[in-house]
Amino acid sequence: MREVLKVDVITLFPGMLKGFLEESMMKRAAKAGLVEFGLLNPRDFTTDKHNTTDDRPFGGGPGMVMKCEPLFAAIESVRTPESRVILMSPSGAPFKQADAERFSKDWKHLIFVCGHYEGVDQRVIDALVDEEISIGDYVLTNGALSAAVIIDATVRLLPGALGAGAIATEEESFSSGLLEYPQYTRPPEFRGLEVPEILFSGDHGKIEKWRREQALKRTEERRPDLLNNSGENGENNA
């Protein structure tokens, strides 16, 4: 059985994550002993009376930069040889489903560092950060929401988190390199919109083939880059 995954988030705005970590799947996973969450505020690791966590950038320029001292202290207060320190950054590598799978299987302790202002002092990155990750080609006010996205994608892959075993995630979008096929439930007809007849056939082979065709079609229409990356195409695999 997998050991408990410990997840620490270092952020100036722990309140943005507190509710998220205490609801729905996150709450259930923590209660079941699958994951343990911790929130650390760099302000709690400052030594001046104003609890200063940022300063003007050397060389000039707009905005403020998060200081070394509180971030070093916060990270080192929880970091161990088993930790993976991840900085949320627009300059990081794009987050993929494969990263969520890697985090859920390969590490016992994840530490997410959430930047703010114009970013963090590069010395923090050079000395303590193992990897930088971005959730998209846009800029957010701070990294707390980015960390929440990655935590959600990771924790849901922990065995038992979704309560239905591996089958709960094995056919999702990106798990096979394709977008997921369309899904339907009751009623079979609503406002003239009908569920495809093949889904009532009971022929699991035909249903699987239809779903594969639909996944390829949807991927070709919406994310052709995924087909190019995987070497698949609708003509040869329909």
Side-chain angles (χ1 to χ4, degrees):
M1 185 177 180
R2 194 203 195 286
E3 294 183 38
V4 141
L5 174 64
K6 183 168 175 55
V7 177
D8 283 307
V9 186
I10 298 173
T11 173
L12 289 169
F13 305 99
M16 291 181 67
L17 292 172
K18 192 171 187 300
F20 160 70
L21 296 175
E22 294 177 353
E23 293 286 345
S24 187
M25 179 196 66
M26 296 300 158
K27 180 179 180 179
R28 294 195 301 271
K31 188 174 181 180
L34 304 177
V35 62
E36 178 183 332
F37 298 116
L39 294 172
L40 295 89
N41 191 331
R43 294 193 190 283
D44 297 332
F45 295 86
T46 56
T47 56
D48 67 304
K49 65 179 181 180
H50 298 296
N51 301 121
T52 306
T53 58
D54 63 291
D55 207 337
R56 292 184 296 275
F58 282 128
M64 306 289 276
V65 176
M66 294 185 70
K67 291 167 59 67
C68 280
E69 301 97 313
L71 285 175
F72 264 78
I75 295 170
E76 290 177 343
S77 73
V78 290
R79 185 175 178 238
T80 72
E82 297 180 336
S83 303
R84 187 71 172 171
V85 181
I86 304 156
L87 175 67
M88 301 293 94
S89 168
S91 301
F95 180 65
K96 304 290 186 183
Q97 182 68 18
D99 296 311
E101 294 171 359
R102 175 167 57 93
F103 294 152
S104 70
K105 295 175 181 177
D106 296 349
W107 302 99
K108 299 177 181 178
H109 184 203
L110 302 174
I111 300 173
F112 293 95
V113 181
C114 302
H116 190 54
Y117 310 116
E118 291 300 313
V120 307
D121 190 300
Q122 183 64 36
R123 290 168 290 186
V124 176
I125 302 171
D126 293 342
L128 298 177
V129 170
D130 295 308
E131 60 183 292
E132 298 178 62
I133 288 187
S134 166
I135 63 166
D137 294 339
Y138 47 85
V139 178
L140 300 175
T141 306
N142 65 77
L145 294 178
S146 300
V149 167
I150 296 176
I151 292 168
D152 186 287
T154 298
V155 171
R156 67 191 302 279
L157 295 178
L158 297 176
L162 294 181
I167 194 171
T169 58
E170 65 184 12
E171 293 187 354
E172 294 180 318
S173 292
F174 309 110
S175 60
S176 65
L178 302 175
L179 299 183
E180 189 176 14
Y181 49 79
Q183 297 276 17
Y184 298 88
T185 188
R186 293 174 179 81
E189 185 274 333
F190 179 73
R191 296 186 178 180
L193 302 171
E194 298 183 348
V195 175
E197 188 67 29
I198 192 170
L199 297 179
F200 301 110
S201 69
D203 188 324
H204 296 293
K206 288 183 178 180
I207 291 174
E208 183 177 351
K209 182 176 183 293
W210 178 87
R211 286 175 168 171
R212 175 71 176 176
E213 291 170 348
Q214 293 299 311
L216 282 165
K217 180 182 177 182
R218 176 175 285 187
T219 306
E220 189 171 24
E221 292 173 348
R222 302 181 184 182
R223 291 293 303 277
D225 58 299
L226 295 177
L227 294 178
N228 294 335
N229 291 338
S230 67
E232 296 193 68
N233 61 73
E235 292 182 1
N236 293 333
N237 293 278

